[in-house]
Amino acid sequence: MTRPGLATAAATLLVSACALLTSACAAPDADHGFTPGGGAAAPAAAGAATGVTGDETGDDVITAAPGLRIEIDWPQGLDPVRSAVVKAFADDFTAQWRAVGTLGEDRSYTKGIDPGSSAFRDADKWVHGFLKDRQSARGVAKVYSLTVPAIMGRGAEADACVDLTGVRLTDQEGTPLAGQPAWLKRPRAVFLQTAGLRRGDDGAWRIAMYHHADYPDERAKECLR
Protein backbone atom coordinates (compact mmCIF):
# COMPACT_ATOMS: atom_id res chain seq x y z
CA MET A 1 0.00 0.00 0.00
CA THR A 2 1.27 3.47 -0.84
CA ARG A 3 -0.10 6.98 -0.93
CA PRO A 4 -3.00 8.21 -3.10
CA GLY A 5 -2.05 8.71 -6.71
CA LEU A 6 1.63 8.00 -6.07
CA ALA A 7 2.02 4.43 -7.25
CA THR A 8 4.43 5.49 -9.99
CA ALA A 9 8.06 6.00 -9.02
CA ALA A 10 8.97 9.51 -7.96
CA ALA A 11 10.86 10.73 -11.03
CA THR A 12 11.94 14.29 -11.77
CA LEU A 13 9.43 16.41 -9.88
CA LEU A 14 10.45 19.62 -11.58
CA VAL A 15 9.46 18.34 -15.04
CA SER A 16 6.64 20.70 -15.92
CA ALA A 17 3.38 18.85 -16.32
CA CYS A 18 2.10 21.17 -18.99
CA ALA A 19 5.27 20.62 -21.01
CA LEU A 20 4.40 16.94 -21.10
CA LEU A 21 0.82 17.62 -22.10
CA THR A 22 1.38 20.27 -24.76
CA SER A 23 4.08 21.21 -27.22
CA ALA A 24 5.18 24.18 -25.13
CA CYS A 25 4.76 25.54 -21.65
CA ALA A 26 4.21 28.97 -20.20
CA ALA A 27 6.79 30.23 -17.75
CA PRO A 28 5.83 29.84 -14.10
CA ASP A 29 3.80 32.74 -12.78
CA ALA A 30 5.81 34.55 -10.11
CA ASP A 31 2.59 35.77 -8.50
CA HIS A 32 1.43 32.20 -7.94
CA GLY A 33 4.65 30.60 -6.74
CA PHE A 34 5.04 27.95 -4.09
CA THR A 35 4.50 29.26 -0.56
CA PRO A 36 6.49 27.49 2.16
CA GLY A 37 4.57 26.46 5.26
CA GLY A 38 1.14 26.97 3.79
CA GLY A 39 1.09 30.75 3.85
CA ALA A 40 -1.37 32.84 5.85
CA ALA A 41 -4.62 31.02 6.54
CA ALA A 42 -8.00 32.74 6.48
CA PRO A 43 -10.67 31.94 9.08
CA ALA A 44 -12.02 28.40 8.82
CA ALA A 45 -15.27 27.72 7.03
CA ALA A 46 -17.29 24.52 6.94
CA GLY A 47 -17.48 22.82 3.54
CA ALA A 48 -20.10 20.58 2.01
CA ALA A 49 -19.55 16.84 1.98
CA THR A 50 -20.33 16.59 -1.73
CA GLY A 51 -17.52 18.72 -3.15
CA VAL A 52 -15.49 21.90 -3.02
CA THR A 53 -15.79 25.30 -4.57
CA GLY A 54 -12.55 26.46 -6.11
CA ASP A 55 -13.29 30.17 -5.86
CA GLU A 56 -13.41 30.08 -2.06
CA THR A 57 -10.46 31.07 0.08
CA GLY A 58 -9.39 30.01 3.54
CA ASP A 59 -9.87 26.63 5.16
CA ASP A 60 -12.50 24.15 3.99
CA VAL A 61 -13.31 20.97 5.90
CA ILE A 62 -14.89 18.23 3.79
CA THR A 63 -16.31 15.00 5.14
CA ALA A 64 -15.12 12.40 2.67
CA ALA A 65 -16.64 9.49 4.61
CA PRO A 66 -17.73 8.78 8.19
CA GLY A 67 -14.77 9.63 10.41
CA LEU A 68 -12.60 10.75 7.48
CA ARG A 69 -12.13 14.45 6.71
CA ILE A 70 -10.10 16.45 4.23
CA GLU A 71 -8.91 19.93 5.26
CA ILE A 72 -8.10 22.19 2.32
CA ASP A 73 -6.41 25.56 2.69
CA TRP A 74 -7.59 27.36 -0.44
CA PRO A 75 -5.22 29.88 -2.06
CA GLN A 76 -6.29 33.45 -2.50
CA GLY A 77 -6.31 35.67 -5.57
CA LEU A 78 -6.38 33.03 -8.30
CA ASP A 79 -7.82 33.83 -11.71
CA PRO A 80 -10.77 31.68 -12.91
CA VAL A 81 -8.63 29.25 -14.92
CA ARG A 82 -6.22 28.58 -12.04
CA SER A 83 -9.17 28.28 -9.66
CA ALA A 84 -10.61 25.56 -11.89
CA VAL A 85 -7.26 23.71 -11.95
CA VAL A 86 -6.90 23.90 -8.17
CA LYS A 87 -10.48 22.71 -7.68
CA ALA A 88 -9.91 19.75 -10.00
CA PHE A 89 -6.81 18.75 -8.02
CA ALA A 90 -8.56 19.04 -4.65
CA ASP A 91 -11.71 17.28 -5.84
CA ASP A 92 -9.72 14.30 -7.09
CA PHE A 93 -7.68 14.07 -3.90
CA THR A 94 -10.88 14.13 -1.83
CA ALA A 95 -12.68 11.66 -4.07
CA GLN A 96 -9.89 9.10 -3.82
CA TRP A 97 -10.10 9.18 -0.04
CA ARG A 98 -13.91 9.05 -0.27
CA ALA A 99 -13.56 5.80 -2.23
CA VAL A 100 -11.37 4.39 0.54
CA GLY A 101 -13.67 5.60 3.32
CA THR A 102 -16.78 4.15 1.67
CA LEU A 103 -15.12 0.78 1.00
CA GLY A 104 -15.24 1.36 -2.75
CA GLU A 105 -18.93 2.25 -2.94
CA ASP A 106 -18.16 5.79 -4.10
CA ARG A 107 -16.17 5.79 -7.34
CA SER A 108 -16.57 9.46 -8.20
CA TYR A 109 -12.76 9.78 -8.35
CA THR A 110 -12.87 8.17 -11.79
CA LYS A 111 -14.66 11.25 -13.15
CA GLY A 112 -11.77 13.57 -12.26
CA ILE A 113 -8.99 11.60 -13.95
CA ASP A 114 -8.21 11.19 -17.64
CA PRO A 115 -9.33 7.58 -18.27
CA GLY A 116 -6.38 6.79 -20.54
CA SER A 117 -3.72 8.21 -18.25
CA SER A 118 -1.18 6.79 -15.84
CA ALA A 119 -2.93 8.73 -13.06
CA PHE A 120 -6.13 6.75 -13.67
CA ARG A 121 -4.32 3.42 -13.46
CA ASP A 122 -2.44 4.49 -10.34
CA ALA A 123 -5.53 5.78 -8.53
CA ASP A 124 -7.58 2.71 -9.41
CA LYS A 125 -4.81 0.39 -8.22
CA TRP A 126 -4.47 2.35 -4.98
CA VAL A 127 -8.19 2.24 -4.15
CA HIS A 128 -8.47 -1.46 -4.98
CA GLY A 129 -5.43 -2.15 -2.80
CA PHE A 130 -7.49 -1.08 0.23
CA LEU A 131 -10.40 -3.25 -0.84
CA LYS A 132 -8.14 -6.26 -1.41
CA ASP A 133 -6.58 -5.85 2.04
CA ARG A 134 -10.00 -5.19 3.61
CA GLN A 135 -8.85 -1.84 4.93
CA SER A 136 -10.24 1.67 5.22
CA ALA A 137 -9.09 4.92 6.86
CA ARG A 138 -10.16 7.46 9.47
CA GLY A 139 -8.79 10.82 10.57
CA VAL A 140 -7.81 14.05 8.83
CA ALA A 141 -5.75 14.61 5.68
CA LYS A 142 -4.56 18.15 5.00
CA VAL A 143 -3.90 19.90 1.69
CA TYR A 144 -2.28 23.33 1.62
CA SER A 145 0.04 25.62 -0.35
CA LEU A 146 -1.96 24.91 -3.51
CA THR A 147 -0.45 26.62 -6.54
CA VAL A 148 -0.64 26.48 -10.33
CA PRO A 149 2.95 27.27 -11.40
CA ALA A 150 2.45 26.63 -15.12
CA ILE A 151 -0.45 26.60 -17.55
CA MET A 152 -0.81 26.73 -21.32
CA GLY A 153 -3.64 25.79 -23.59
CA ARG A 154 -5.05 22.46 -22.46
CA GLY A 155 -2.17 21.60 -20.13
CA ALA A 156 -1.57 22.71 -16.55
CA GLU A 157 0.45 21.85 -13.47
CA ALA A 158 -0.86 21.97 -9.91
CA ASP A 159 1.34 21.67 -6.81
CA ALA A 160 0.20 21.06 -3.24
CA CYS A 161 1.58 20.13 0.13
CA VAL A 162 -0.05 17.09 1.70
CA ASP A 163 0.01 16.12 5.37
CA LEU A 164 -1.25 12.61 6.18
CA THR A 165 -0.02 12.48 9.77
CA GLY A 166 -3.63 12.72 10.97
CA VAL A 167 -4.80 9.68 8.98
CA ARG A 168 -4.93 6.15 10.39
CA LEU A 169 -5.57 2.93 8.50
CA THR A 170 -8.42 0.85 9.89
CA ASP A 171 -10.18 -2.42 9.24
CA GLN A 172 -13.48 -2.26 7.39
CA GLU A 173 -15.33 -1.72 10.69
CA GLY A 174 -13.28 1.39 11.44
CA THR A 175 -10.94 -0.02 14.09
CA PRO A 176 -7.37 1.37 13.71
CA LEU A 177 -4.77 -1.20 12.70
CA ALA A 178 -2.14 -2.04 15.31
CA GLY A 179 0.70 -1.37 12.88
CA GLN A 180 0.48 1.84 10.86
CA PRO A 181 2.56 2.16 7.65
CA ALA A 182 5.58 4.43 7.41
CA TRP A 183 3.88 6.62 4.79
CA LEU A 184 1.47 7.86 7.49
CA LYS A 185 4.32 8.90 9.80
CA ARG A 186 6.81 11.75 9.63
CA PRO A 187 8.79 12.48 7.60
CA ARG A 188 7.15 10.54 4.73
CA ALA A 189 3.61 11.62 5.62
CA VAL A 190 4.36 15.25 4.69
CA PHE A 191 5.24 15.69 1.03
CA LEU A 192 4.81 17.79 -2.08
CA GLN A 193 2.49 16.42 -4.73
CA THR A 194 2.42 17.64 -8.33
CA ALA A 195 -0.32 16.84 -10.82
CA GLY A 196 -0.39 17.31 -14.55
CA LEU A 197 -3.88 18.09 -15.84
CA ARG A 198 -5.55 18.17 -19.24
CA ARG A 199 -8.63 20.18 -20.16
CA GLY A 200 -11.13 18.11 -22.13
CA ASP A 201 -13.45 19.16 -24.93
CA ASP A 202 -16.13 19.65 -22.27
CA GLY A 203 -13.95 22.27 -20.57
CA ALA A 204 -13.30 20.14 -17.47
CA TRP A 205 -9.77 19.73 -16.09
CA ARG A 206 -8.78 16.13 -15.32
CA ILE A 207 -5.68 14.65 -13.74
CA ALA A 208 -3.35 12.95 -16.22
CA MET A 209 -0.25 12.22 -14.14
CA TYR A 210 1.28 12.56 -10.69
CA HIS A 211 4.79 13.15 -9.36
CA HIS A 212 5.82 13.71 -5.77
CA ALA A 213 8.75 14.87 -3.67
CA ASP A 214 9.53 13.25 -0.33
CA TYR A 215 11.62 14.64 2.51
CA PRO A 216 14.54 15.43 2.40
CA ASP A 217 13.89 16.89 -1.05
CA GLU A 218 14.12 20.68 -0.73
CA ARG A 219 10.61 21.24 -2.06
CA ALA A 220 9.21 18.70 0.38
CA LYS A 221 10.97 20.53 3.20
CA GLU A 222 8.97 23.63 2.28
CA CYS A 223 5.81 21.71 3.20
CA LEU A 224 6.88 21.28 6.84
CA ARG A 225 5.08 23.59 9.22
Side-chain angles (χ1 to χ4, degrees), residues 49-51 62-66 68 91-113 123-124 126-128 130-131 136:
T50 56
I62 303 160
T63 300
L68 181 59
D91 278 350
D92 180 61
F93 182 91
T94 302
Q96 288 190 45
W97 280 109
R98 183 176 292 119
V100 172
T102 61
L103 306 179
E105 292 183 7
D106 190 309
R107 288 182 52 82
S108 58
Y109 71 92
T110 61
K111 299 177 181 179
I113 309 177
D124 209 43
W126 183 76
V127 170
H128 280 88
F130 278 91
L131 302 182
S136 187

Side-chain angles (χ1 to χ4, degrees), residues 211-224:
H211 288 300
H212 75 284
D214 279 321
Y215 186 90
D217 185 282
E218 289 302 318
R219 300 200 78 196
K221 287 180 180 180
E222 293 179 344
C223 289
L224 299 175

Side-chain angles (χ1 to χ4, degrees), residues 147-217:
T147 62
V148 183
I151 188 167
M152 184 174 183
R154 293 192 174 190
E157 176 187 333
D159 292 350
C161 289
V162 176
D163 184 345
L164 300 181
T165 55
V167 176
R168 293 294 178 267
L169 295 194
T170 71
D171 61 22
Q172 292 188 330
E173 285 69 45
T175 302
L177 303 182
Q180 295 292 317
W183 58 270
L184 290 180
K185 303 174 183 178
R186 286 181 179 269
R188 289 184 61 191
V190 181
F191 56 94
L192 176 72
Q193 184 162 327
T194 290
L197 299 93
R198 293 191 186 102
R199 184 167 56 190
D201 292 338
D202 59 357
W205 289 97
R206 294 180 178 87
I207 310 295
M209 70 173 192
Y210 286 106
H211 288 300
H212 75 284
D214 279 321
Y215 186 90
D217 185 282

